[in-house]
Amino acid sequence: MSRLLYNTFKAAVVAVGLVFLAGCNYNSQAIGSTVPLGPIQQSAWIAYWDLEAGEKDIAKLGKKLEKLSYFGAYFDKDDRLFLPKELSDKRTEHQKQKVSYKTYLTFVNDKQNADGSTVMKDTEVLRRLFTDDASMDKHIADIIALTKQGGYDGIEIDYERIWKDEKVGQAFVRFTDKLYEQAVKNDLYLRVVLEPSSPFAIDFPRGPEYVVMLYNLHGPHNSPGPKANKEFIQKKVKQMAALPGEKSVAFSTGGCLWGDNGEKRFLTEVEAKTLAVTHGAKLNRDDGSQCLIFTYKEKGVSYQVWYADVKTLQYWIAAAQELGESDISLWRLGGNIDINKIN
């Protein structure tokens, strides 16, 4: 996950579309269960670049929300961890409220360069931090300090692209073990987010909760299609059985747009529905994923959009529950219409 999941197409068209959302029609060809098969444990992320919209979704979820991850802390030009001010301010505001959910601070391996540019999912910064035990221990101490300073209940590690380098991957497993030991000593929970391509069968330490991202089947990295479907979900849930202890599956709200001019970007559900209304597009529902699909043309460019609504999310949850997985995490809060209707 990274800030690339957010795009700046927002306020103007959202305002237009919300007026007409009730007018959207689509063909529904549901297959299998589209409703969760039983109670779920629900976690979610709120991102520093969309806090206002995320706050609205928190209010919608109410007591259904069991864990909230604040996304997130990343690295400056000197490999030092820092928090965006808007996120730390929001956390301070939330601390004054009485809430029932556990709170986590998410750490990501994004890096801001001296010129202001950002490297997403930077493996090199991890290579430096994992150089030896002294460097790793200092990094762990910094994580603990930042988490406790913000008054969070736990730590969430979302370091990606680590398995492209065997040494970094091996060091990450050792880091996870050492971090868990220190988290326990400091009365903190630990969640570790894993990409679906991760080697689940390796010797991960027992103790942390492992969260597996199930939403990159299609996206800006490839051709149009759903972020997940039943086959993909169930294949990964079966592989996850090799992980020790508590596990969670993460699904993505919203969707993605592809243009025949090469444009590709993520959309929230509100943004996707707004585009459909604005262009008078007909919505159809995909059988295998229960995603909504529409196409439109603008200024000579043909666009295709796939996105998830509450029915899609419930279908994905049911697919995971068929294999016994009911701990669900949602990336992310903000721009969701009926997120409160997830059972």
Side-chain angles (χ1 to χ4, degrees):
M1 292 175 285
S2 76
R3 187 172 184 174
L4 290 178
L5 289 176
Y6 180 72
N7 62 80
T8 56
F9 174 76
K10 196 175 182 183
V13 292
V14 169
V16 173
L18 284 174
V19 176
F20 299 102
L21 288 180
C24 288
N25 295 310
Y26 53 82
N27 296 328
S28 176
Q29 297 179 332
I31 57 171
S33 175
T34 57
V35 178
L37 306 179
I40 63 172
Q41 295 78 53
Q42 196 165 162
S43 307
W45 285 271
I46 185 170
Y48 70 85
W49 59 84
D50 202 19
L51 291 170
E52 183 178 348
E55 190 88 77
K56 292 177 182 178
D57 280 354
I58 291 175
K60 289 179 185 178
L61 288 171
K63 293 183 179 180
K64 291 182 178 181
L65 186 62
E66 298 194 11
K67 299 171 186 175
L68 178 66
S69 295
Y70 291 73
F71 191 97
Y74 56 108
F75 298 94
D76 67 11
K77 62 183 179 62
D78 299 312
D79 294 350
R80 294 177 302 196
L81 287 168
F82 75 96
L83 268 178
K85 184 179 185 302
E86 53 268 49
L87 189 68
S88 57
D89 288 348
K90 179 59 66 176
R91 175 58 188 154
T92 300
E93 179 186 323
H94 283 176
Q95 283 181 286
K96 300 174 184 176
Q97 305 169 4
K98 186 177 181 180
V99 299
S100 58
Y101 49 78
K102 293 186 181 74
T103 59
Y104 291 78
L105 176 56
T106 304
F107 294 83
V108 296
N109 58 319
D110 294 349
K111 180 177 172 64
Q112 189 173 71
N113 297 320
D115 62 2
S117 63
T118 302
V119 180
M120 302 296 181
K121 301 168 185 147
D122 186 9
T123 306
E124 292 305 313
V125 68
L126 297 181
R127 193 191 312 279
R128 292 190 292 272
L129 293 170
F130 295 166
T131 298
D132 52 36
D133 283 342
S135 177
M136 187 180 290
D137 290 344
K138 183 183 183 305
H139 180 45
I140 289 171
D142 291 343
I143 289 172
I144 297 288
L146 202 55
T147 304
K148 290 178 73 73
Q149 179 183 335
Y152 297 92
D153 298 310
I155 299 160
E156 182 175 79
I157 299 298
D158 181 14
Y159 292 165
E160 299 182 32
R161 295 183 182 168
I162 54 179
W163 308 107
K164 295 182 179 297
D165 185 299
E166 185 177 352
K167 289 184 178 179
V168 173
Q170 291 173 349
F172 177 75
V173 174
R174 188 170 74 256
F175 161 75
T176 301
D177 193 23
K178 290 165 72 72
L179 177 59
Y180 179 69
E181 180 182 350
Q182 292 304 311
V184 170
K185 288 181 179 179
N186 285 274
D187 296 319
L188 295 170
Y189 298 98
L190 176 61
R191 281 165 51 105
V192 178
V193 182
L194 299 174
E195 295 170 286
S197 58
S198 301
F200 304 129
I202 67 174
D203 193 21
F204 281 101
R206 179 173 295 275
E209 173 189 357
Y210 292 98
V211 185
V212 178
M213 301 183 298
L214 299 185
Y215 48 78
N216 71 347
L217 188 60
H218 288 270
H221 62 286
N222 61 6
S223 58
K227 289 184 177 181
N229 60 24
K230 184 173 184 178
E231 180 183 3
F232 172 71
I233 291 164
Q234 295 196 328
K235 176 183 177 181
K236 292 302 171 182
V237 170
K238 288 176 183 177
Q239 293 174 351
M240 284 170 56
L243 291 168
E246 188 179 358
K247 294 177 279 290
S248 175
V249 293
F251 297 123
S252 177
T253 61
C256 192
L257 169 150
W258 293 263
D260 65 5
N261 63 344
E263 181 183 1
K264 300 177 182 182
R265 56 187 170 91
F266 289 109
L267 301 170
T268 66
E269 181 188 2
V270 167
E271 289 168 344
K273 284 197 171 185
T274 298
L275 277 175
V277 171
T278 301
H279 294 280
K282 178 183 177 182
L283 300 179
N284 291 286
R285 196 175 291 275
D286 173 58
D287 280 351
S289 67
Q290 291 298 291
C291 283
L292 289 166
I293 314 163
F294 66 91
T295 60
Y296 70 96
K297 287 192 76 169
E298 184 176 41
K299 297 179 180 178
V301 179
S302 295
Y303 294 96
Q304 185 174 158
V305 175
W306 290 62
Y307 72 97
D309 65 356
V310 66
K311 187 171 182 178
T312 316
L313 292 169
Q314 295 203 136
Y315 178 70
W316 291 345
I317 291 168
Q321 284 186 313
E322 286 180 9
L323 296 179
E325 185 52 69
S326 291
D327 200 321
I328 308 299
S329 298
L330 294 178
W331 172 263
R332 62 177 169 81
L333 299 180
N336 302 297
I337 296 170
D338 292 320
I339 196 169
N340 56 301
K341 294 183 180 179
I342 296 176
N343 296 341

